[in-house]
Amino acid sequence: MSLTEISSKIAAAEKAAGRPAGSVTLIAVSKVQPNARVEAVLEAGHRVFGENKVQEAAGKWPNFRETYDGIDLHLIGPLQSNKVRQAIQLCDAIHTLDRPKLAKAIARIADEEGRCPKLFIQINTGEEEQKAGVFPADADAFIAECHGLGLQIEGLMCIPPVDEEPSLHFALLAKIAARNDLQGLSMGMSADFEKAIALGATHVRVGSAIFGERVAS
Ligand SMILES: *Cc1c(COP(=O)(O)O)cnc(C)c1O
């Protein structure tokens, strides 16, 4: 699928859900994609991208920023505490705030750097052992803890279990956000972004549907 096709599917899903045009931000997930493919999407005028790893983002985005204005870079993969400074310097949003230690590090270092990316808290809606994220039952307390540290929280993010109906997880995420007065919902990937938009996604993270299958790294 092309960027244009994805964009028109997003527009159609917004309309079907009775939501304003442009209320969903498309994050083009460029992890492990060859630079030529990323450049083609930049040349097409798209500016919002997602990367999984700080290291990989550091290797390519400072260069792209020299050539293209207005890049909005989102970190959507796990963040280790020792990479927080680099992430804050590189990224405009972090979708994977998932533990108190990380929240404290972000609060301190954002203060030192004089800049704080937009923050999304990752919720482990499927309560999967191997997956990052705060359990739904702990979400309200963790959101309050982040606010207590002076962090402004943009919204919540989830990655549903692969073998379950994603809509149940999107609905749960939306419910947790609503009761905490959070507007942002980072949910939906290549296979299910339309379902996510129906349930209120404000940010969809789409990789392979735009760039083609990822080459194994
Ligand atoms: C890779 C990735 C995506 C994009 O997945 P696709 O299925 O290629 O659209 C979205 N979100 C996260 C957190 C990812 O790691």
Side-chain angles (χ1 to χ4, degrees), residues 19-88:
R19 301 180 51 195
S23 52
V24 177
T25 298
L26 170 61
I27 301 172
V29 179
S30 50
K31 65 183 185 207
V32 307
Q33 296 290 353
N35 280 351
R37 287 190 193 166
V38 181
E39 263 164 10
V41 172
L42 281 161
E43 284 296 328
H46 195 74
R47 289 294 179 269
V48 190
F49 291 84
E51 286 287 343
N52 243 36
K53 295 189 174 139
V54 174
Q55 209 63 31
E56 189 184 341
K60 56 203 218 203
W61 287 97
N63 292 334
F64 285 139
R65 282 194 201 271
E66 283 180 16
T67 315
Y68 301 93
D69 284 335
I71 286 171
D72 187 19
L73 184 61
H74 294 239
L75 181 71
I76 62 168
L79 177 57
Q80 294 167 295
S81 300
N82 63 1
K83 298 255 170 66
V84 168
R85 189 174 305 276
Q86 206 180 2
I88 287 178

